Amino acid sequence: MEFRRINNLPPYVFTIINDLKVEGRRAGHDIIDLGFGNPDLPSPDIAVEKLAEAAGNARNHRYSASRGIPKLREAVAGYYARRFGVYLDPETEVINTIGAKEGFSHLMWTLLQPGDAALVPSPSYPIHLYAPLFAGAEVREIPLSTGTDFFGTMQERWRYSWPKPRIIVLSFPHNPTTACVDLEFMAGVVDFAKEHDVLLVHDFAYADLGYDGYLPPSIMQVEGAKDVAVELYSMTKSFSMAGWRVAFMVGNPQVVAALAKLKSYLDYGTFQPIQIAATVTLNEAPGHPKEVCDIYQSRRDALCSGLNRMGWEVEPPKGTMFVWAKIPEPYLEMGSVEFASWLVRDARVAVSPGVGFGPGGEGHVRFALIENEQRTAQAVRQLRQTLAKLG
């Protein structure tokens, strides 16, 4: 049998590292996993309590609302008002999605078809590249690396693309490069979108993970952004609710309505007790994202200071739950897959190979801040012993 939609997918290189990790653990080794960005912090107590309470009510066991129950959409609007000073109409400008990854994929089906094109940063979170391809569209990559004039490069790629891209995908703070932008950048992109009649899709997964006083801006803070933009916000990182699959798309009402129409054919919404728990959490645990952010910043400091002391020069990120590190010069010729595989086997530390985020990620590895400071320090010690060429 031929599986045409998936036959052209390249091997998922992260599975190589995962298999080595499993192999090492089966052999009795303690592998410190800094590869997969799976939050280890527990969800808020109130979320768990409300989930259990709502699940005990048989009325919540039926199909729910595909768009999200009204109270949940109101809670999201309330979050945006408090955090960004942005007013959203919960009826027309907010929709619940079953996780940001699924929401983004469904959105691409809504917006794109064969013959269309999308502009996407590279390297990139894999689904940002592949969801447009699943929809049959072509992808034009915008190189994104340290020191890159991303806005200028975006304009250039737009000029020389044919067909002209219908959408531009953005995601700041950025996974995997950790690049951050300010509100002035967002305003410039909105102006560009208005001038060229293109839709902006901003994946705001790390909305609440900004360090050293940096507050990541929402594109919705720009005047007139709703005319040309939508934004995906998730409770995964901010509220440590990864497995709950609770996210939202906000912004342009026509796009919200179009996604709602598609979703009405695809799903019946997230399990209603989860929606109820998410509603209460957004309303009654407003301080949780700050607590989470402080923990990740402490881990960032422990990892970056440890790596720099051993001679692996890294720049502490201003946002995200990752550290994007160039492979040290003595080991650069190995390539990211071979280097990351070696670290699992010899240092017993798992990291993500940069090429897994697209060709633009080669020469780098990504650390996820998913271990406490003690485990992180242990990982640094093991790396120091293995990377002898760093002196």
Side-chain angles (χ1 to χ4, degrees), residues 98-109:
I98 307 174
K101 198 172 184 180
E102 296 86 341
F104 183 85
S105 300
H106 292 164
L107 179 63
M108 294 302 105
W109 288 1

Side-chain angles (χ1 to χ4, degrees), residues 72-86:
L72 178 55
R73 286 182 276 121
E74 289 171 13
V76 175
Y79 164 83
Y80 264 78
R82 293 190 304 272
R83 171 74 169 78
F84 304 111
V86 170

Side-chain angles (χ1 to χ4, degrees), residues 23-272:
E23 183 183 306
R25 285 175 174 165
R26 282 178 179 163
H29 302 309
D30 177 20
I31 307 294
I32 301 176
D33 187 1
L34 301 178
F36 184 29
N38 193 2
D40 65 312
L41 304 176
S43 304
D45 290 341
I46 194 168
V48 178
E49 291 162 7
K50 287 297 174 183
L51 173 64
E53 179 185 313
N57 186 339
R59 286 180 300 177
N60 291 324
H61 298 176
R62 309 172 197 172
Y63 293 132
S64 188
S66 178
R67 294 168 56 222
I69 58 176
K71 291 291 185 185
L72 178 55
R73 286 182 276 121
E74 289 171 13
V76 175
Y79 164 83
Y80 264 78
R82 293 190 304 272
R83 171 74 169 78
F84 304 111
V86 170
Y87 171 76
L88 295 169
D89 182 345
E91 190 60 31
T92 61
E93 296 173 341
V94 179
I95 185 169
N96 177 219
T97 65
I98 307 174
K101 198 172 184 180
E102 296 86 341
F104 183 85
S105 300
H106 292 164
L107 179 63
M108 294 302 105
W109 288 1
T110 306
L111 299 174
L112 300 171
Q113 62 184 14
D116 292 335
L119 274 178
V120 183
S122 175
S124 182
Y125 183 50
I127 200 64
H128 292 167
L129 291 168
Y130 289 107
L133 295 173
F134 290 152
E138 297 179 33
V139 169
R140 306 281 184 262
E141 296 184 6
I142 315 169
L144 177 60
S145 60
T146 306
T148 300
D149 175 13
F150 180 80
F151 187 75
T153 307
M154 182 195 76
Q155 293 174 299
E156 182 182 89
R157 291 297 165 105
W158 169 270
R159 262 197 314 274
Y160 295 111
S161 289
W162 188 260
K164 287 291 180 238
R166 291 197 74 203
I167 69 165
I168 298 174
V169 175
L170 303 169
S171 185
F172 296 105
H174 185 255
N175 176 15
T177 70
T178 73
C180 293
V181 299
D182 56 19
L183 194 55
E184 184 181 356
F185 171 90
M186 290 297 193
V189 176
V190 167
D191 288 343
F192 179 87
K194 289 182 176 181
E195 182 181 348
H196 296 282
D197 191 28
V198 61
L199 181 74
L200 304 172
V201 177
H202 183 225
D203 186 351
F204 203 21
Y206 306 97
D208 296 295
L209 297 187
Y211 310 128
D212 305 320
Y214 170 68
L215 294 175
S218 163
I219 200 167
M220 291 299 134
Q221 289 175 269
V222 179
E223 187 175 351
K226 291 179 190 176
D227 297 334
V228 292
V230 290
E231 183 166 79
L232 287 145
Y233 175 82
S234 168
M235 295 185 76
T236 292
K237 277 71 179 189
S238 300
F239 291 90
S240 299
M241 293 170 67
W244 299 60
R245 312 313 299 140
V246 182
F248 312 92
M249 190 187 77
V250 306
N252 184 277
Q254 287 80 26
V255 178
V256 169
L259 180 59
K261 184 174 183 179
L262 179 74
K263 276 172 57 62
S264 71
Y265 283 87
L266 295 175
D267 68 71
Y268 289 108
T270 304
F271 185 43
Q272 190 151 296

